[in-house]
Amino acid sequence: MIELTLPWPPSVNGYWRSPTRGPLAGRHLISKRGREYRKAATQAVADQWQGDAMESRLSVTVRLCSPTRRQYDIDNMMKGLLDALTHAGIWQDDGQIDRLTIERGEVEKPGKAVVKVEVL
C-alpha cells in the first residue's frame, strides 16, 4: 500500500479551459491552474515515494480535506488528482483503478488530499 498527501486539487470546472478564438479554438485543454496543480502534486509524490509504476488492478481511497467550509462536490475533484498521479508515475493509467472511494475529510488549511493506493 502507498499513502500520499497531496495538495488540494482543483475541481474539474477549473481544471479545463476551452478557447473560443485562435488556433486552439474548440479544443479542451488543461488550464494554467490545472498545470500548476499537476506540477505541485508530482513534486509531492516525488518527495514521498520512489518506485516503479504499478501494473496491477488497483483500489484507491481519497480523503479530501477542504481548506474552507465551502460546499463542493467531491466527485468533481478527482480528474486533476488522478491525472496528476498518472503523470507522477504511481500507475501506468488510471484505467487500472477498479475501486475508487472518495471521503469528505475535516476542514484543514491549506487543504489536502490523502490518497491510499492498494493492489487488488
Side-chain angles (χ1 to χ4, degrees):
M1 182 191 64
I2 300 171
E3 183 171 330
L4 303 163
T5 300
L6 302 178
W8 177 251
S11 87
V12 73
N13 302 325
Y15 185 75
W16 297 108
R17 69 181 184 93
S18 299
T20 57
R21 290 180 295 205
L24 300 177
R27 295 181 61 193
H28 295 289
L29 308 169
I30 298 174
S31 68
K32 179 180 179 185
R33 187 170 158 203
R35 292 189 308 273
E36 289 170 350
Y37 178 75
R38 181 191 291 188
K39 183 177 179 181
T42 299
Q43 183 59 55
V45 169
D47 291 345
Q48 298 172 66
W49 179 80
Q50 294 78 36
D52 295 326
M54 298 175 146
E55 298 178 6
S56 303
R57 306 309 300 172
L58 302 171
S59 172
V60 177
T61 301
V62 179
R63 184 169 39 93
L64 295 168
C65 299
S66 172
T68 68
R69 293 192 185 282
R70 197 189 99 194
Q71 291 294 317
Y72 61 93
D73 294 338
I74 60 175
D75 61 320
N76 281 350
M77 313 308 278
M78 291 296 95
K79 179 63 178 165
L81 179 69
L82 296 178
D83 282 357
L85 290 168
T86 301
H87 189 75
I90 293 295
W91 46 64
Q92 294 176 335
D93 185 78
D94 56 10
Q96 293 169 242
I97 300 170
D98 287 339
R99 182 184 311 136
L100 177 61
T101 305
I102 311 165
E103 304 170 348
R104 189 182 311 270
E106 62 283 349
V107 173
E108 186 176 321
K109 289 190 179 191
K112 66 181 181 181
V114 179
V115 180
K116 294 179 185 177
V117 182
E118 298 180 79
V119 173
L120 287 175

